[in-house]
């Protein structure tokens, strides 16, 4: 048989007969032949000899023994490794070729498309074989293809007949062909058709939950491959079986319901899912509670709607009391059953945990203090506190039956009577909910020995409407103030006096006043100096009068802002003795007791300077106004100074020193007289050192300048003047 004829026959068998041409006895798990019918390879200018282009996938389902392959293009072959290999260097490969594989088990064809290759003529198989004019057009005819139904999970043996396709014009040379998903498309080989009779069979058990519907096509052809009838759609539906149990999304669910909720209150919703057909009873679920733990006070505290899965309360509101129930959490075992809850239905199980949450239905109540007799009908507490001290004096205990660590349990305390001066404060101890009553302003035994407080306790959250705060929510606290020996108190403190500096030693400065708060006791007071930085003062220990033991100096470093501060102590003779301190502030008035001085004390000038201004000098004084400026700055009393020097006043504190003529390089001491404005004024005879230096290129050289007193220079000038 020539190669072209063999290719044509194999092509017809492969492409026309399709899956329906396979024998029904073939194993459904393996379809003999090329496992891939179409291959592609890129064209890049040609193919080199013995360089593989691709590998075909061929399986005859029996080990591929004695399988032979032929390629439509004689320049290519299939080697033992199923590689498509050029026999020689090939340039004109064409854009399509066919590979024929055959042995005793299979006869199949595959197509290789060469992408980007120039076309050869003829291009297609029909043109290669010269069959273009051999297949005239024929109109399609009708096929009778009824819908078919297959139950899932069928057991062997297979294949099983599921229906029949009838042709209105079936002849001996016509055959049936089945195509589509489940036939020649994945999953392949699920369905097959008898080529001659049109019987359709299923080859293995089906799973509706994997694929519920198969859409196939049936056609008839003649032996030459020409289409006679079809294709016509064949729809195969998989009939559901109850093979899936109901499944809850989560194994455990949690819900809450407020205590006292009305009967019928929805707590939560349980939802399960069934993978079976939702249009059948296989997926119709019913819910039921099979167990409740604990089962007190009733084993049927909750009910679940069998269709919707809503869990609601059944117990009466007064029984749904968190404080009286044996537990605050109930565990329900929920079963979902398909087949609408019938006995044959499959089941799924989940657990629902329901927590009974608290509401504020119990007011906090004070509990009796351990040291108070139960004789009293109201809640009473007592405490004692030392006068003058602060801090917690008593802890008030309460009982609240609501859920701890919630706003319905946490207590808020308030003082509603007995504290007009806000000496007390009460706060909640967050650890045990007790009320901590504290003294925040020290108490005075002499003012009041007893205090009676009325305390109220409430919750953070408001009470429910039918519950109110009763008498047990208030308590009386009796506070006894204990007397303590208190130290004397200075008045006023600080004591401020005004004194002039330089007053004689022994002069009176101030009289200290101190009183003992313990006026119910007769105690004496002694005064002592506690801090006297300059050691200027002395105090009479019994009378408290303060006098000087040294001269007060306003200019002392111990005086700040004209004020001198000393600290005194007063001590009583109580048991044990107590003391208090008081401050004395002396404001010192200034006297003109400091001479002014000049600054700067040194000046420099160039010997050939054209500017005769030497320096601007100023006056300073340790005293304060009016004993300071305006200052009067004058030349000393030595004769002849005015012929060389001149002083010009600038303002109240500064003057300009000027030369009337140039001087030789030397150091000159210029006598000056500086006088302040005090009454009486004080003058200071001082000197200004003037250095006359050599100046060159912005550099001043003041070295080797001899010291020449100004009066000597003056005498020398007078001598020279007389000679002239």
């Amino acid at each position: 048989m020539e190669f072209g004829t063999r290719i044509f026959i194999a092509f017809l068998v492969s492409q026309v007969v399709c899956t329906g041409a396979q024998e029904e006895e073939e194993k459904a798990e393996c379809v003999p032949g090329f496992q891939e019918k179409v291959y592609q390879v890129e064209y890049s200018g040609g193919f080199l000899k013995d360089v593989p282009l691709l590998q075909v996938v061929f399986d005859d389902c029996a080990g591929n023994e004695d399988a032979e392959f032929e390629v439509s293009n004689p320049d290519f072959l299939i080697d033992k490794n199923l590689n498509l290999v050029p026999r020689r260097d090939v340039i004109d490969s064409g854009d399509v070729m066919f590979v024929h594989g055959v042995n005793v088990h299979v006869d199949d064809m595959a197509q290789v498309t060469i992408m980007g290759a120039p076309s050869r003529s003829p291009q297609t198989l029909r043109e290669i074989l010269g069959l273009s004019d051999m297949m005239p057009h024929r109109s399609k005819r009708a096929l009778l293809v009824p819908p078919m139904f297959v139950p899932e999970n069928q057991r062997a043996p297979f294949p099983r007949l599921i229906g029949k396709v009838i042709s209105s014009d079936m002849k001996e040379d016509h055959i049936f062909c089945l195509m589509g998903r489940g036939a020649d498309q994945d999953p392949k080989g699920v369905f097959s058709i008898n080529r001659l009779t049109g019987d359709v069979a299923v080859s293995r058990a089906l799973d509706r939950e994997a694929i519920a519907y198969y859409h196939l096509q049936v056609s008839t052809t003649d032996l030459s491959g020409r289409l006679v009838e079809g294709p016509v759609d064949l729809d195969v539906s998989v009939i559901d079986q109850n093979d899936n149990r109901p499944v809850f999304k989560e194994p455990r669910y949690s819900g809450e319901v407020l205590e006292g909720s009305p009967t019928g209150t929805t707590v939560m919703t349980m939802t399960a899912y069934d993978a079976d057909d939702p249009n059948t009873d296989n997926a119709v679920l019913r819910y039921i509670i099979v167990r409740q733990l604990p089962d007190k006070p009733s084993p049927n505290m909750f009910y679940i709607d069998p269709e919707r899965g809503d869990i609601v309360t059944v117990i009466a509101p007064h029984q749904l009391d968190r404080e009286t129930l044996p537990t605050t959490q109930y565990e329900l075992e929920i079963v979902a059953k398909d087949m609408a809850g019938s006995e044959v239905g499959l089941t799924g199980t989940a657990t629902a945990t329901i927590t009974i949450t608290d509401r504020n239905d119990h007011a906090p109540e004070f509990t009796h203090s351990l040291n108070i007799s139960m004789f009293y009908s109201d809640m009473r507490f007592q405490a004692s506190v030392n006068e003058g001290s602060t801090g917690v004096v008593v802890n008030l205990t309460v009982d609240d039956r609501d859920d701890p660590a919630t706003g319905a349990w946490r207590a808020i305390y308030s003082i509603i009577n007995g504290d007009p001066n806000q000496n007390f404060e009460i706060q909640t101890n967050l650890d045990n909910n007790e009320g901590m009553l504290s003294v925040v302003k020290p108490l005075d035994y002499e003012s009041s020995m007893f205090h009676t407080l009325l305390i109220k306790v409430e919750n953070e959250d408001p009470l429910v409407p039918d519950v109110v705060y009763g008498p047990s929510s208030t308590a009386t606290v009796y506070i006894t103030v204990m007397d303590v020996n208190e130290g004397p108190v200075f008045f006023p403190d600080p004591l401020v006096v005004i004194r002039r500096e330089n007053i004689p030693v022994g002069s009176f400065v101030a009289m200290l006043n101190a009183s003992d708060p313990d006026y119910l006791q007769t105690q004496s007071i002694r005064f002592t100096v506690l801090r006297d930085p300059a050691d200027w003062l002395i105090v009479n220990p019994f009378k408290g009068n303060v006098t000087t033991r040294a001269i007060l100096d306003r200019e002392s470093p111990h005086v700040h802002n004209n004020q001198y501060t000393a600290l005194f102590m007063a001590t009583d003779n109580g048991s044990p003795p107590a003391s208090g301190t008081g401050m004395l502030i002396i404001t010192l008035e200034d006297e003109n007791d400091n001479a002014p001085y000049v600054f700067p004390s040194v000046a420099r000038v160039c010997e050939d300077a054209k500017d005769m201004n030497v320096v601007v000098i100023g006056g300073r004084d340790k005293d304060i106004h009016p004993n300071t400026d305006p200052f009067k700055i004058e030349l000393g009393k030595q004769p002849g100074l005015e012929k060389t020097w001149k002083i010009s006043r600038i303002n109240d504190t500064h003057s300009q020193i000027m030369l009337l003529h140039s001087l030789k390089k030397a150091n000159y001491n210029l006598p000056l007289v500086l006088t302040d404005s005090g009454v009486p004024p004080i003058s200071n005879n001082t000197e200004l050192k003037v250095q006359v230096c050599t100046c060159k290129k912005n550099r001043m050289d003041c070295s080797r300048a001899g010291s020449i007193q100004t009066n000597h220079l003056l005498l020398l000038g007078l001598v020279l003047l007389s000679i002239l």
Side-chain angles (χ1 to χ4, degrees):
M1 181 184 296
E2 293 186 2
F3 177 76
T5 305
R6 290 198 302 268
I7 289 180
F8 174 67
I9 295 175
F11 181 81
L12 291 179
V13 173
S14 168
Q15 302 297 323
V16 178
V17 177
C18 303
T19 304
Q22 300 176 4
E23 297 295 327
E24 293 182 358
E25 293 78 12
E26 291 177 350
K27 295 182 179 180
E29 290 76 14
C30 179
V31 179
F34 287 96
Q35 304 303 302
E36 295 183 22
K37 302 296 185 182
V38 179
Y39 298 85
Q40 292 182 348
V41 64
E42 291 289 334
Y43 179 83
S44 58
F47 303 100
L48 299 178
K49 178 183 178 182
D50 297 329
V51 178
L53 306 185
L54 54 85
Q55 186 179 48
V56 297
V57 183
F58 180 86
D59 188 3
D60 67 350
C61 303
N64 289 349
E65 292 184 2
D66 300 325
E68 295 182 359
F69 300 89
E70 289 185 293
V71 184
S72 61
N73 189 331
D75 294 331
F76 295 84
L77 60 83
I78 300 296
D79 64 13
K80 63 181 181 179
N81 295 322
L82 303 184
N83 292 319
L84 178 64
V85 181
R87 299 176 183 269
R88 60 178 181 83
D89 293 341
V90 178
I91 297 177
D92 184 17
S93 61
D95 57 358
V96 66
M97 64 180 72
F98 298 89
V99 180
H100 180 213
V102 62
N103 64 3
V104 296
H105 300 291
V106 66
D107 189 347
D108 200 6
M109 178 76 71
Q111 177 177 318
V112 179
T113 301
I114 302 175
M115 308 298 293
S119 300
R120 297 179 67 192
S121 182
Q123 298 182 31
T124 66
L125 179 61
R126 292 179 178 177
E127 292 172 338
I128 291 173
L129 301 176
L131 301 177
S132 299
D133 299 328
M134 295 173 58
M135 304 181 70
H137 175 73
R138 180 175 181 177
S139 60
K140 298 180 182 179
R141 297 183 181 181
L143 287 172
L144 179 59
V145 184
M148 300 180 188
F149 302 90
V150 182
E152 65 173 334
N153 304 322
Q154 285 183 315
R155 296 182 180 181
F158 291 102
R160 287 174 176 265
L161 184 66
I162 64 172
K164 185 179 182 65
V165 177
I166 301 174
S167 172
S168 61
D169 188 23
M170 193 65 179
K171 297 181 180 180
E172 293 183 358
D173 61 343
H174 293 176
I175 59 175
F176 290 95
C177 180
L178 184 64
M179 298 166 289
R181 183 184 184 190
D184 61 345
Q185 298 177 16
D186 290 332
K188 297 178 181 179
V190 177
F191 301 99
S192 61
I193 190 169
N194 188 296
R195 294 178 294 172
L196 302 178
T197 65
D199 292 335
V200 180
V202 61
S203 62
R204 55 177 177 256
L206 304 181
D207 183 4
R208 191 204 67 84
E209 287 70 44
I211 302 177
Y213 178 80
Y214 292 87
H215 181 73
L216 304 168
Q217 287 187 326
V218 178
S219 61
T220 61
T221 65
D222 60 18
L223 294 180
S224 66
R226 290 187 302 171
L227 185 64
V228 178
E229 293 176 302
V232 177
D233 292 340
L234 169 59
D235 296 328
V236 180
S237 299
V238 182
I239 300 174
D240 185 43
Q241 301 292 321
N242 190 21
D243 58 345
N244 288 276
R245 294 181 178 274
V247 177
F248 287 91
K249 280 187 174 181
E250 303 290 339
R252 303 187 69 89
Y253 290 77
S254 298
E256 296 179 349
V257 62
L258 188 67
E259 64 171 333
S261 296
T263 301
T265 299
T266 300
V267 181
M268 58 195 301
T269 299
M270 305 288 289
T271 303
Y273 296 90
D274 196 310
D276 289 320
D277 189 352
N279 298 315
T280 67
D281 284 350
N282 296 337
V284 177
L285 306 183
R286 293 295 183 264
Y287 300 92
I288 187 173
I289 300 174
V290 297
R291 186 175 59 175
Q292 170 191 304
L293 290 177
D295 59 358
K296 304 296 183 182
S298 166
N300 300 311
M301 295 174 59
F302 304 95
Y303 166 80
I304 187 168
D305 186 287
E307 296 184 5
R308 296 194 301 269
D310 296 335
I311 298 178
V312 298
T313 59
V314 179
I315 189 171
H318 70 276
Q319 291 182 299
L320 193 62
D321 185 1
R322 194 195 65 85
E323 288 74 35
T324 60
L325 290 173
T327 181
T328 59
Q329 281 193 341
Y330 286 84
E331 192 170 276
L332 307 179
E333 184 178 342
I334 309 298
V335 170
K337 181 182 285 188
D338 60 19
M339 297 299 293
S342 69
E343 293 183 359
V344 297
L346 303 177
T347 61
T349 304
T351 300
T353 301
I354 299 176
T355 301
I356 313 300
T357 57
D358 189 37
R359 62 174 187 163
N360 197 9
D361 55 350
H362 294 88
E365 297 179 347
F366 284 99
T367 58
H368 286 282
S369 177
L370 295 178
N371 59 347
I372 294 294
S373 172
M374 294 297 293
F375 171 77
Y376 298 106
S377 60
D378 60 341
M379 301 299 125
R380 298 189 177 192
F381 296 84
Q382 65 181 10
S384 60
V385 58
N386 290 331
E387 66 170 330
S389 65
T390 58
V392 177
V393 296
V394 65
N395 290 312
L396 308 183
T397 57
V398 296
D399 178 56
D400 195 318
R401 299 171 60 190
D402 290 314
D403 188 10
T406 66
W409 177 82
R410 286 190 291 268
I412 299 177
Y413 298 87
S414 58
I415 302 172
I416 59 178
N417 195 10
D419 187 26
N421 298 320
Q422 286 77 48
N423 293 98
F424 298 92
E425 178 184 83
I426 187 166
Q427 293 182 338
T428 304
N429 186 326
L430 299 180
D431 295 329
N432 54 24
N433 218 29
E434 293 181 355
M436 301 182 296
L437 181 63
S438 304
V439 176
V440 293
K441 292 182 181 179
L443 303 175
D444 184 17
Y445 172 83
E446 288 72 26
S447 299
S448 178
M449 301 178 187
F450 303 99
H451 294 267
T452 302
L453 305 178
L454 188 60
I455 309 295
K456 180 180 181 180
V457 62
E458 298 175 317
N459 289 130
E460 286 185 3
D461 293 345
L463 296 173
V464 296
D466 55 340
V467 178
V468 296
Y469 293 103
S472 297
S473 297
T474 58
T476 303
V477 182
Y478 298 96
I479 306 294
T480 301
V481 182
M482 309 300 292
D483 187 26
V484 175
N485 185 27
E486 300 173 87
V489 178
F490 282 84
F491 181 83
D493 186 24
L495 174 61
V496 181
V497 299
I498 300 175
R499 295 292 180 266
R500 181 170 291 277
E501 68 173 332
N502 300 323
I503 59 177
V505 174
S507 298
F508 173 80
V509 177
M511 177 64 72
L512 301 179
N513 295 307
S515 61
D516 194 333
D518 301 308
Y519 60 84
L520 298 180
Q521 305 177 26
T522 303
Q523 298 181 145
S524 61
I525 297 175
R526 289 178 59 90
F527 296 94
T528 57
V529 178
L530 188 61
R531 184 167 59 86
D532 181 13
D535 199 21
W536 287 344
L537 306 174
I538 190 172
V539 63
N540 187 299
F542 303 105
K543 297 181 180 180
N545 54 313
V546 180
T547 58
T548 62
R549 63 188 300 173
I551 299 298
L552 306 182
D553 183 9
R554 192 199 64 83
E555 290 76 34
S556 168
H558 300 291
V559 177
H560 303 283
N561 296 326
N562 303 320
Q563 289 184 334
Y564 179 75
T565 302
L567 194 64
F568 295 86
M569 183 170 64
T571 306
D572 63 21
N573 61 346
S575 179
S579 60
T581 59
M583 184 179 295
L584 173 63
I585 299 176
I586 305 173
T587 300
L588 294 174
E589 295 180 337
D590 187 43
E591 284 194 349
N592 193 18
D593 56 349
N594 291 278
Y597 59 94
V598 69
F599 74 94
S601 60
V602 178
R604 291 180 176 181
V605 65
C606 296
E607 62 179 342
D608 56 351
K610 296 181 181 179
D611 186 0
M612 293 292 105
N613 294 323
V614 177
V615 67
V616 174
I617 61 173
R620 288 183 177 175
D621 198 318
K622 293 182 179 180
D623 294 319
I624 60 175
H625 192 77
N627 296 320
T628 56
D629 60 273
F631 296 111
K632 184 178 181 182
I633 303 176
E634 301 174 296
L635 293 173
K637 301 303 181 181
Q638 292 86 340
L641 291 177
E642 70 278 0
K643 295 184 179 180
T644 303
W645 307 93
K646 181 181 179 182
I647 298 178
S648 299
R649 185 174 184 272
I650 297 176
N651 52 34
D652 289 348
T653 58
H654 291 77
S655 296
Q656 174 74 57
I657 304 296
M658 294 181 293
L659 277 172
L660 299 179
H661 56 79
S662 300
L663 297 178
K664 295 295 184 178
K665 179 179 180 182
N667 290 337
Y668 300 88
N669 293 325
L670 176 63
L672 297 174
V673 178
L674 183 60
T675 305
D676 62 22
S677 297
V679 179
I682 296 179
S683 297
N684 182 19
N685 294 312
T686 184
E687 290 183 341
L688 174 67
K689 182 179 180 180
V690 180
Q691 293 180 317
V692 179
C693 307
T694 301
C695 299
K696 293 182 179 179
K697 296 182 179 180
N698 297 326
R699 294 185 59 186
M700 180 176 286
D701 182 12
C702 300
S703 62
R704 296 181 299 173
S707 179
I708 301 177
Q709 296 293 333
T710 303
N711 52 351
H712 295 166
L713 178 62
L714 179 60
L715 292 175
L716 179 59
L718 293 175
V719 172
L720 293 174
L721 183 61
S722 62
I723 294 174
L724 293 175

